[in-house]
Amino acid sequence: MVQFSRRQFMKVTGSSLAASSLAVMGFSPTAALAEVRQYKLTAATVTRQTCTYCSVGCGILMYSMGDGTLNNKLSVIHVEGDPDHPVNRGTLCPKGASLLDFVHSPSRLQYPEYRAPGSSEWKRISWDEALDRIAKLLKEDRDANFIEKNEKGQTVNRWVTTGMLAASASSNEAGYVTHKVARSWGLLALDNQARV
Ligand code: SF4
C-alpha cells in the first residue's frame, strides 16, 4: 500500500478537486495552459513622442494606463524606442531608456512658475499668464533696444538684448518655424538645447 504524508495527501486531493471542479465548469486546463500569454501593454494607451534629452531626437513610445474611470488621470508605465522612427529605429541610449524616472521625478517642473524681483518664493501661474508676460516683456525690450542701422548707416535690424533657447524635442518643422520667427524679430542670440 502506498504511504502518503499529510502534505502529499493535501496536494494530491487538492489538485484533483481543482481539476474536476474546473472541468465541471467547462474549463479545460490543457487549453488554458496552451493559450498565448497576453502582452502586458495591450490595454495601455500609446503616445508617440521625442526624447527630451539631446539633439539626436530619438522617437519614443510612451505607454500609459489608468483605471478608465471618469476624471482618472493616465499614468506613464513604460517608455521604449519607437521602431518606426527613422532616427533610432527602436533603440535608445541609457539616458533615453531611463525616461520613465524622469517622467515621474518629484522635482520635474510641470507648470510655469514666477519669482518676483526680490522674492525667494516661486509662485505657480497659468500658461496664459506666463505667455502674456513673456510677450509683453519681449515687446518692451525690443521697442527699447532694436537697432535698425549701425554706426556706418547700414541697415542691420538687430535685437541683441534678448536671447532665445529653443527645445531639442521639437520636430524639424517646429525648429524651422522657431528659427524664422526669431530671426524675423532681429534676434541674434538664438540657440538650441540640443547643443547643451
Ligand atoms: S535616447 Fe539618447 S541619443 Fe536618443 S535623443 Fe534621447 S538622449 Fe539622445
Side-chain angles (χ1 to χ4, degrees), residues 18-62:
S20 54
S21 314
L22 285 170
V24 168
M25 288 190 287
F27 290 116
S28 158
T30 318
L33 284 171
E35 182 170 314
V36 178
R37 201 167 149 215
Q38 290 296 316
Y39 183 43
K40 65 177 180 180
L41 300 175
T42 304
T45 301
V46 190
T47 310
R48 286 211 143 80
Q49 257 297 358
T50 309
C51 174
T52 51
Y53 281 125
C54 87
S55 54
V56 178
C58 296
I60 56 172
L61 298 177
M62 306 179 81

Side-chain angles (χ1 to χ4, degrees), residues 6 11 35 107:
R6 182 182 157 80
K11 248 171 129 174
E35 182 170 314
S107 57

Side-chain angles (χ1 to χ4, degrees), residues 13-110:
T13 51
S15 51
S16 320
L17 269 174
S20 54
S21 314
L22 285 170
V24 168
M25 288 190 287
F27 290 116
S28 158
T30 318
L33 284 171
E35 182 170 314
V36 178
R37 201 167 149 215
Q38 290 296 316
Y39 183 43
K40 65 177 180 180
L41 300 175
T42 304
T45 301
V46 190
T47 310
R48 286 211 143 80
Q49 257 297 358
T50 309
C51 174
T52 51
Y53 281 125
C54 87
S55 54
V56 178
C58 296
I60 56 172
L61 298 177
M62 306 179 81
Y63 292 85
S64 315
M65 289 273 269
D67 63 10
T69 52
L70 195 65
N71 297 328
N72 177 251
K73 259 183 96 175
L74 291 176
S75 178
V76 181
I77 55 162
H78 180 71
V79 178
E80 64 187 31
D82 182 351
D84 294 327
H85 199 280
V87 167
N88 55 318
R89 300 269 185 221
T91 60
L92 291 177
C93 80
K95 260 167 84 176
S98 65
L99 273 170
L100 192 60
D101 292 337
F102 172 73
V103 171
H104 293 300
S105 167
S107 57
R108 181 164 74 95
L109 186 63
Q110 300 185 54

